Amino acid sequence: MHLDIASLPFLNSQFVSDWLCANLRSPFESAKTILFLYVVSTQSLKFYRHLRARGLRQSVAEGWLWLSKQALLLAIKLPSAQKKIKQEMGKVRQDIEDKLVPKGTEVSRHLSLPLEGKSVEWILAEMAKMDGELGPNADWRHGKLSGAVYHGGDDLTRVLVAAFERYAVSNPLHPDVFPAIRKMEAEIVAMCLRMYKNPDGAGTMTSGGTESIVMAVKTYRDWARAVKGITEPEMRVPIIPTTAHAAFDKGAAYMGVKVHMVPVDPLTRKVNLKRVCRAMLLVGSAINFPDGNQDDIVSLGELAAKYNIGLHVDCCLGSFIVPFLEQAGLAGGEDGGSRYKLYPFDFGVRGVTSISCDTHKYGFAPKGSSVIMYRDAALRRYQYYVTPNWTGGVYASPSLSGSRPGALIAGTWAAMQYMGSDGYLESCRQIVACARLIANTITSSIPELYVLGSPPASVVAFASKDKDVDIYEIGDKMSKKGWHLNALSGPAAVHIACTRLTLSVVDTFIADLKKSVEEAKMAPSGKGTMVALYGLGNSSAVGPTMVGEVATIFLDTLYRA
């Protein structure tokens, strides 16, 4: 479907001029008519852009879904429906609290300051007690995790603790007071830029992948406003529903940017390039969080370069894995490149203008550290916040935070120095070999399941190809065996992000997965957390709204002391 916006009569200047001459009788009527035409033209342009990005079929489907949702929301406001919903949400709240909030007379609650300060021995003993209040499955050391804990080993932990102790009170907001912290942060950024083939680029540290992505959205919004005169910025993100990280939606919501969700190919899990069009920013992942696949960064880069727009590559999860795949001899994949092949993704690709990389994942730095990198320092300037007129003096910060923990910067620098290229290379080999063992076993030995796409790095997502086997049921069975895995939607799937902790339990994972498939096939319970939550999400047009309420209850519970 092709629409020529210039052909619309109310956007044709000659048409407007002739119409005004023929119909205007007074200045007041002229003003009303001009305002009317302005509103019609601007709204028509927005509609055209939306239709062009979404396509007619998707736009109609979204419209129908919106109408259905509004009708159902009106229906559930009836007293009888509200009573039932309140009862069900009460059960959900209780279930979440039972899983997250320790209970019993032996549980101590510290709701006010102690009258007298406690000793170090008491504090450490109380911490050890709290660690065990939810039982053995809450112990990350057993390794039955998807991502979550990126542990570089006990020796590295001691290095991090030493760095924390030395710089516990440091704050990079005061570089003259803590010059070493300023130097370490600059060196961390420089090391990451070289790792991603842009030694002359620029960047900053952030508190994590989400802040790195939010900062990228802010940067491109301000760049589009200053350079292109775009006052209502839009970006195209290859997600249906979420192969690009949800932080892009979060950043867009914070920064007032409209997101167009572009579908991905159901087999390759790469963005559908035919549906990508001009915007202030294009986004690709290498690798994405849900299924561990990468987008076609080269093709996205060609589009970005052609239209002189930004292309951000999210390597938060790929971090210190994907830059080492080629050196590890794993970038070519298997079976002649038909599986697990890694394609170009870094600043060596024409059109790539920024990359986010989490140092606190496979870089094994302490949690709360990430790097956002730009093609050049000129683009980085749009990330800064500067106000020269504050009564407290000139205020300038590179990212969202003002004060930041210098100890995290020191810990990140220490981790990178301790590991070195050789350490990260060996880590890459081991973790990717582990992930490919899982993927190959699923493909060859578990006929009820299939692997999503062709994941080149550390994440493997799997779904059911047997209509009688519910993948969420399998996920719940794995949970009962002590595994903490991630449920996905669109399609329904489960994933594991392999880490160093996975290496020693990969055989256990495969054995438990095979058992869980059989159990889900022979005796599905239909009552597990994944089944209930994602079943609710797909139950009706208001399902996502109900899931949102469940998520809000979960967040509330996090602050239940």
Side-chain angles (χ1 to χ4, degrees):
M1 179 180 180
H2 175 73
L3 293 177
D4 183 5
I5 192 68
S7 67
L8 297 177
F10 45 79
L11 295 180
N12 183 283
S13 59
Q14 186 60 48
F15 169 84
V16 173
S17 176
D18 293 344
W19 191 90
L20 287 173
C21 290
N23 291 278
L24 298 186
R25 298 180 180 178
S26 69
F28 178 69
E29 289 182 351
S30 298
K32 287 197 302 181
T33 303
I34 291 172
L35 178 62
F36 170 76
L37 290 174
Y38 172 77
V39 171
V40 170
S41 62
T42 53
Q43 295 303 313
S44 297
L45 185 59
K46 289 181 180 179
F47 174 75
Y48 165 75
R49 288 172 175 168
H50 183 94
L51 192 62
R52 185 183 176 192
R54 299 289 211 275
L56 180 60
R57 180 179 298 179
Q58 186 178 345
S59 296
V60 171
E62 289 177 353
W64 174 253
L65 183 64
W66 183 85
L67 289 172
S68 302
K69 178 181 177 180
Q70 299 309 308
L72 287 171
L73 286 174
L74 284 174
I76 63 177
K77 287 183 179 180
L78 295 172
S80 57
Q82 281 291 302
K83 182 179 179 181
K84 184 175 181 180
I85 290 172
K86 188 175 181 179
Q87 289 175 343
E88 292 301 318
M89 287 300 166
K91 294 177 183 177
V92 169
R93 184 182 298 275
Q94 188 62 53
D95 182 58
I96 293 174
E97 288 184 2
D98 289 344
K99 291 178 179 178
L100 295 180
V101 182
K103 293 179 173 61
T105 55
E106 72 284 358
V107 175
S108 301
R109 304 196 182 280
H110 312 283
L111 306 180
S112 58
L113 286 171
L115 293 177
E116 296 181 354
K118 303 292 186 181
S119 67
V120 172
E121 292 76 17
W122 182 91
I123 291 170
L124 294 177
E126 192 66 13
M127 287 179 174
K129 178 184 174 185
M130 288 190 288
D131 283 342
E133 285 177 344
L134 285 179
N137 282 348
D139 186 357
W140 59 267
R141 292 171 181 83
H142 56 48
K144 292 186 171 184
L145 302 167
S146 173
V149 177
Y150 297 85
H151 187 44
D154 292 337
D155 289 342
L156 177 54
T157 298
R158 284 188 281 272
V159 172
L160 300 182
V161 170
F164 267 63
E165 183 177 31
R166 185 177 183 89
Y167 295 102
V169 300
S170 63
N171 183 353
L173 189 64
H174 306 286
D176 54 335
V177 180
F178 304 104
I181 294 298
R182 185 217 63 79
K183 183 174 183 289
M184 284 188 277
E185 180 171 20
E187 290 178 351
I188 290 165
V189 173
M191 286 186 278
C192 288
L193 282 165
R194 279 164 175 77
M195 197 165 68
Y196 281 87
K197 300 180 181 177
N198 188 24
D200 297 323
T204 73
M205 288 190 70
T206 68
S207 63
T210 292
E211 187 183 354
S212 288
I213 289 169
V214 171
M215 287 291 89
V217 175
K218 189 266 185 192
T219 296
Y220 288 106
R221 183 199 66 179
D222 291 359
W223 170 83
R225 182 181 295 154
V227 175
K228 289 181 169 285
I230 298 175
T231 57
E232 294 187 12
E234 303 182 13
M235 65 182 182
R236 305 301 196 268
V237 182
I239 49 175
I240 278 190
T242 51
T243 58
H245 200 280
F248 287 103
D249 285 306
K250 186 176 185 178
Y254 284 177
M255 301 298 165
V257 174
K258 182 175 181 178
V259 175
H260 288 296
M261 297 183 180
V262 181
V264 297
D265 185 285
L267 295 178
T268 67
R269 309 299 296 167
K270 297 177 185 290
V271 60
N272 184 346
L273 292 166
K274 294 180 180 179
R275 293 286 297 276
V276 177
C277 51
R278 294 175 64 179
M280 74 163 198
L281 172 63
L282 302 180
V283 172
S285 301
I287 53 178
N288 71 51
F289 173 83
D291 52 55
N293 288 282
Q294 71 167 128
D295 290 307
D296 186 347
I297 305 302
V298 172
S299 296
L300 287 171
E302 290 174 355
L303 284 172
K306 178 180 179 180
Y307 294 112
N308 187 29
I309 57 178
L311 170 57
H312 181 85
V313 181
D314 177 18
C315 291
C316 287
L317 185 53
S319 61
F320 285 65
I321 294 287
V322 291
F324 290 93
L325 280 173
E326 184 174 359
Q327 191 178 350
L330 298 169
E334 298 179 1
D335 296 339
S338 63
R339 291 189 299 168
Y340 315 140
K341 184 175 180 179
L342 180 75
Y343 294 89
F345 62 90
D346 53 28
F347 284 109
V349 177
R350 177 173 175 263
V352 172
T353 51
S354 60
I355 296 176
S356 50
C357 166
D358 280 1
T359 43
H360 68 196
K361 287 191 172 72
Y362 295 105
F364 307 121
K367 275 295 182 182
S369 63
S370 178
V371 173
I372 170 72
M373 297 169 277
Y374 296 101
R375 174 72 69 175
D376 54 46
L379 183 57
R380 179 180 60 183
R381 285 193 166 198
Y382 294 102
Q383 177 179 302
Y384 296 163
Y385 177 80
V386 179
T387 178
N389 301 318
W390 180 40
T391 55
V394 177
Y395 180 88
S397 64
S399 55
L400 283 177
S401 300
S403 291
R404 292 180 291 147
L408 284 178
I409 295 172
T412 301
W413 185 89
M416 294 171 74
Q417 296 299 322
Y418 181 84
M419 291 295 297
S421 292
D422 287 349
Y424 288 125
L425 178 61
E426 183 58 26
S427 174
C428 170
R429 283 197 184 104
Q430 294 176 348
I431 291 171
V432 174
C434 175
R436 291 184 183 180
L437 174 61
I438 292 172
N440 288 336
T441 302
I442 291 172
T443 301
S444 63
S445 304
I446 309 180
E448 295 85 357
L449 305 180
Y450 70 95
V451 174
L452 271 63
S454 183
S458 57
V459 175
V460 179
F462 46 92
S464 175
K465 58 183 177 182
D466 187 332
K467 62 181 180 62
D468 296 323
V469 180
D470 187 340
I471 191 63
Y472 295 140
E473 187 77 44
I474 294 171
D476 286 328
K477 300 294 185 186
M478 291 291 282
S479 180
K480 289 184 177 180
K481 293 175 173 58
W483 289 93
H484 299 261
L485 305 178
N486 290 90
L488 314 174
S489 60
V494 172
H495 95 201
I496 179 169
C498 298
T499 68
R500 278 189 165 187
L501 294 173
T502 317
L503 302 180
S504 62
V505 293
V506 62
D507 292 336
T508 302
F509 175 84
I510 290 170
D512 285 349
L513 182 59
K514 290 179 178 179
K515 290 177 185 176
S516 296
V517 170
E518 291 303 313
E519 292 170 2
K521 185 190 299 184
M522 302 302 295
S525 68
K527 297 180 180 179
T529 301
M530 286 189 189
V531 171
L533 182 62
Y534 288 89
L536 173 63
N538 296 319
S539 61
S540 68
V542 296
T545 301
M546 295 294 101
V547 172
E549 179 61 26
V550 172
T552 301
I553 291 172
F554 171 83
L555 293 176
D556 286 341
T557 306
L558 297 181
Y559 297 94
R560 180 77 180 272

